[in-house]
Amino acid sequence: MAVRRFSKIRVIPPGPNARRIIEWDEKYLMQSYVRWYPLVITRGDGVIVEDVDGNRYIDFNSGLAVLNTGHLPKPVVERIKDQIGRFLHYSLTDFYYELAPRYAEKLVKALGWSGGKVFFTNSGAESIEAAIKVSRGYFKGERPYLISFLNSFHGRTMAALTLSASKTIHKKYFHPLLPGVIHVPYPNPYRCPFGSRDPDECAERTIGYIEDVVFRKIVDPSEVGAFFIEPIQGEGGYVVPPKEFMVMLRRLTEKHGILLVADEVQSGMGRTGRLLAIYNFGVKPDLAALAKGIASGLPLGALVGDGDVMSLPKGSHANTFGGNPVSLAAAEATLDLLMDGLMENARIQGEYIMTRLRELMDEVDLIGDVRGIGLMIGVEVVKDRESREPNPKAASWIIEQCFKRGLLIIGGGESALRIAPPLVITRDVVDEGLDILSEVIKEADREFR
Ligand SMILES: Cc1ncc(COP(=O)(O)O)c(C=O)c1O
């Protein structure tokens, strides 16, 4: 086995300290989470995570696509410390502080969103909830219908949950959900819901379905307020739609006066080499929902939109903690780092990772597809390339084995691997992570045929 410089497994996890904490967790926390593997973290540094038994892992997760600037980025930590010495809270719902408009202006300008306005939230789901209320409010209740995509994930609160359609377990026992939501197929080019293997045709057939079926048989487009779309599906397995699709969807929404809401909670804040993933398709949405990577790990979300759309009347929407000053201070420093080379690095490292993984496809039959933009990369694990049949057993085994050998990755969709390292990752760490992943995939290729 090659010498590892960055990762180090001293005790096969879970070690004794990890086991004790997991037992404790099981006793006192509601166990509605799905933990991928028994990782119990004690500290992070850049792209390295250390567990409570002294094991070191390369982080290809970024704490679920949150730590875009890596663990404990110095300028962010300094800004947080500075803000902590000033004040910790004073609700924007009722009062003012400079940090809020200052960061909002910085964000809107970085997004190139002239006339844009911001509403601050505490999470991705809350940004989506805000987008639902803003779009219904914008049309004064006259366009109550919302459309989202199959296999999408928009969050766990009741309305965001209604928009989601990736797993029934998310919804079981929780009905009735929000009325007025319609789901349409997402044009996954690898497994096109319309059976096509040509991405452009897949895009056309999806738009055709919306026009010919949804708008003729289910709801009149004049009653639809917004489309919600993840420009790259996250939980769905890092699925990149055909490039033309996003342009066609934008045209369709403009034709019918419908708002286009980009759920950029996972794909945004530089992960794809641009601040919004949808910019990679040359499309500007009417609203963008942000969270995760926005404040380097502190809780913050934002809804950004055109000033005339972000027009809910006074008293109609607010929250106590949204735009917390410590989170905003972290967000300011985070944005500086993203603009100052990290997005560029995401593009460079992402291309390199995809090239190496595509080369690996020459040696194994278990990988059906490698896709992504920047550092949002999906690897489809299949029974064999010809059938394209999902191989969830092999995917779970790969994830578990990587963990035991010092690499943190998670899955998505039915049997994809999600690769989303911090944007600060360097080539040498990428190489070590990919060495571990390739070794495990080759073994899986022998085991799971
Ligand atoms: C695309 C997308 N939207 C919304 C959410 C919900 O975000 P949160 O967990 O912060 O509520 C997530 C979380 O994974 C997500 O990936």
Side-chain angles (χ1 to χ4, degrees), residues 70-232:
H71 294 258
L72 299 179
K74 266 212 178 69
V76 178
V77 173
E78 287 310 312
R79 283 287 285 117
I80 291 171
K81 282 184 184 162
D82 173 71
Q83 183 56 38
I84 281 174
R86 293 166 191 267
F87 65 102
L88 295 181
H89 169 78
Y90 222 74
S91 254
L92 284 175
T93 51
D94 297 76
F95 309 100
Y96 299 90
Y97 40 87
E98 182 185 339
L99 257 171
R102 197 169 78 208
Y103 175 67
E105 179 182 13
K106 194 180 173 103
L107 178 63
V108 158
K109 286 193 168 155
L111 289 166
W113 203 312
S114 88
K117 281 195 172 179
V118 178
F119 176 79
F120 290 118
T121 72
N122 301 283
S123 69
E126 212 196 313
S127 298
I128 294 293
E129 298 281 332
I132 294 171
K133 287 176 76 174
V134 164
S135 51
R136 284 192 170 166
Y138 176 62
F139 293 116
K140 309 254 179 304
E142 282 176 10
R143 283 176 172 254
Y145 279 87
L146 307 168
I147 299 182
S148 63
F149 289 82
L150 291 172
N151 296 319
S152 66
F153 183 80
H154 297 287
R156 306 276 189 168
T157 51
M158 292 302 274
L161 178 65
T162 312
L163 294 177
S164 302
S166 61
K167 292 192 183 93
T168 49
I169 184 67
H170 296 156
K171 296 180 177 176
K172 195 176 175 189
Y173 310 130
F174 306 142
H175 295 277
L177 302 175
L178 191 73
V181 172
I182 294 164
H183 292 103
V184 297
Y186 191 82
N188 175 349
Y190 187 65
R191 293 203 183 91
C192 179
F194 300 98
S196 168
R197 287 205 171 185
D198 173 51
D200 289 341
E201 190 186 312
C202 188
E204 272 166 30
R205 296 198 52 185
T206 307
I207 294 290
Y209 174 86
I210 296 168
E211 286 270 41
D212 300 338
V213 179
V214 178
F215 287 171
R216 289 212 183 136
K217 298 179 194 299
I218 301 175
V219 64
D220 192 273
S222 66
E223 292 187 292
V224 178
F227 269 88
F228 283 72
I229 188 163
E230 291 168 272
I232 298 179

